[in-house]
Amino acid sequence: MARLIRQTVILAKVETTSGTDAVPTGALNALQVTDFSVTPLDANNVDTNILLPYFGGSPSLVGTASVKCSFTVLLAGSGTAATAPAWGALLQGCGMAETTGLTAPNRVEYLPITDLLKTLTIYYYDSGVLHKMLGAFGNVKLTAKVGEAPKLMFDFVGLDGGISDVTNATAVLTNWKTPVAITKANVTDIQMGCTYATGALSGGTAYNSTGLTLDFGNKVDFVPMLTTEEVVLTDRKVTGNVSIELTAAQEVSFMATVKANTLTGMGFVIGTATGNKIMIHKPAVQLINPKKEEINGKRIIGYDLRAVPVSGNDEIRLISL
């Protein structure tokens, strides 16, 4: 019988002990993903280079090896304020701390961390074959561009937890909610110069834009030693880009801030309904590399951006309201 690509189930669970199988289940830990790809054995093969009296290659040895996977999830809330969204565990595997049950207003917040990092166990069922990733760390990119669905795009590296011939888990996906499209009715403008406190953005100036992209810039590496193997997350540099509509006077003013290396707050809200609203805030953004752009003949100005810490572990905040 043919094995079908659609017969794929992905599970992910935060590990109690890094590198120890957290045993995710289809009932509690199933992911709703798109664009999934996996490298089941990313090996550094060792060429033996045996000298032979005739032409031909020699066998290679399978050296140190890890497992990699990539996938995209749609960015939506949990449906209930103060309840973690279904993608929360994935952000924890990307160097973020999850704080649930916050009130006034009810919300869940995600902030970057440097210590007490959490790893994931990821199961990938491929039509009857189970691949396991242990001790996995990842990087995440966020895209929220006009006319598209908001997305989180993940790249994970993990230890090889083995492969087996088993029946696919049954995925329960009721915790995954439908996002809103990035359209006029569903989002705010980009707010420059704003501040954040207790679930609300305040101050600053709103600018019409085409949306936002962010790359959390996690440095994730597989580190093999003689008696140990682990995946490590050792740095983070949050970058991104934004394209905004400016008057002539505003463009001149923005150029001055670029040249002066000015830092400013930036905020953005996706969604309007309680339980399915995502707020993004960066307290200290540097705009760099201004670019002249156009959309259907209309002039807009694009900027790359860097989000830097203020007090540490605070350069970006995601809030699910």
Side-chain angles (χ1 to χ4, degrees), residues 231-311:
V231 176
V232 296
L233 195 167
T234 57
D235 203 1
R236 174 183 61 246
K237 291 182 173 65
V238 180
T239 59
N241 60 72
V242 64
S243 298
I244 54 182
E245 183 179 17
L246 299 173
T247 65
Q250 287 171 334
E251 182 182 351
V252 172
S253 177
F254 268 60
M255 183 64 79
T257 67
V258 170
K259 292 180 177 180
N261 307 310
T262 302
L263 301 177
T264 186
M266 178 184 286
F268 185 47
V269 181
I270 303 168
T272 59
T274 299
N276 197 12
K277 184 187 298 185
I278 305 296
M279 182 180 293
I280 303 162
H281 181 253
K282 300 170 292 300
V285 167
Q286 180 185 13
L287 298 180
I288 59 176
N289 301 329
K291 295 173 286 292
K292 298 279 190 177
E293 299 176 352
E294 64 91 18
I295 179 169
N296 294 333
K298 185 174 182 177
R299 171 62 68 211
I300 57 176
I301 310 299
Y303 299 90
D304 295 333
L305 61 87
R306 295 178 179 176
V308 299
V310 176
S311 301

Side-chain angles (χ1 to χ4, degrees), residues 10 35-41 67-70 124 126 131 133:
I10 315 297
D35 305 322
F36 186 85
S37 67
V38 63
T39 303
L41 194 68
V67 181
K68 296 181 178 180
C69 71
S70 301
Y124 164 44
D126 179 21
H131 301 265
M133 294 177 60

Side-chain angles (χ1 to χ4, degrees), residues 165-188:
D165 175 6
V166 297
T167 302
N168 280 16
T170 300
V172 177
L173 300 172
T174 52
N175 289 335
W176 292 87
K177 306 305 179 183
T178 302
V180 298
I182 305 298
T183 64
K184 176 183 175 181
N186 296 327
V187 300
T188 65

Side-chain angles (χ1 to χ4, degrees), residues 9 53 92 223 230 238 259:
V9 177
Q92 291 181 70
V223 182
E230 64 178 331
V238 180
K259 292 180 177 180

Side-chain angles (χ1 to χ4, degrees), residues 110-174:
Y110 296 89
L111 274 168
I113 53 177
T114 299
D115 301 313
L116 303 177
L117 298 168
K118 296 182 178 180
T119 53
L120 302 182
T121 293
I122 299 175
Y123 282 11
Y124 164 44
Y125 291 88
D126 179 21
S127 190
V129 175
L130 170 60
H131 301 265
K132 293 185 179 182
M133 294 177 60
L134 307 179
F137 275 124
N139 183 46
V140 58
K141 299 176 182 178
L142 183 153
T143 177
K145 301 291 288 183
V146 66
E148 301 178 2
K151 299 174 183 177
L152 296 172
M153 297 172 288
F154 293 94
D155 295 290
F156 282 99
V157 180
L159 304 177
D160 180 12
I163 181 173
S164 56
D165 175 6
V166 297
T167 302
N168 280 16
T170 300
V172 177
L173 300 172
T174 52

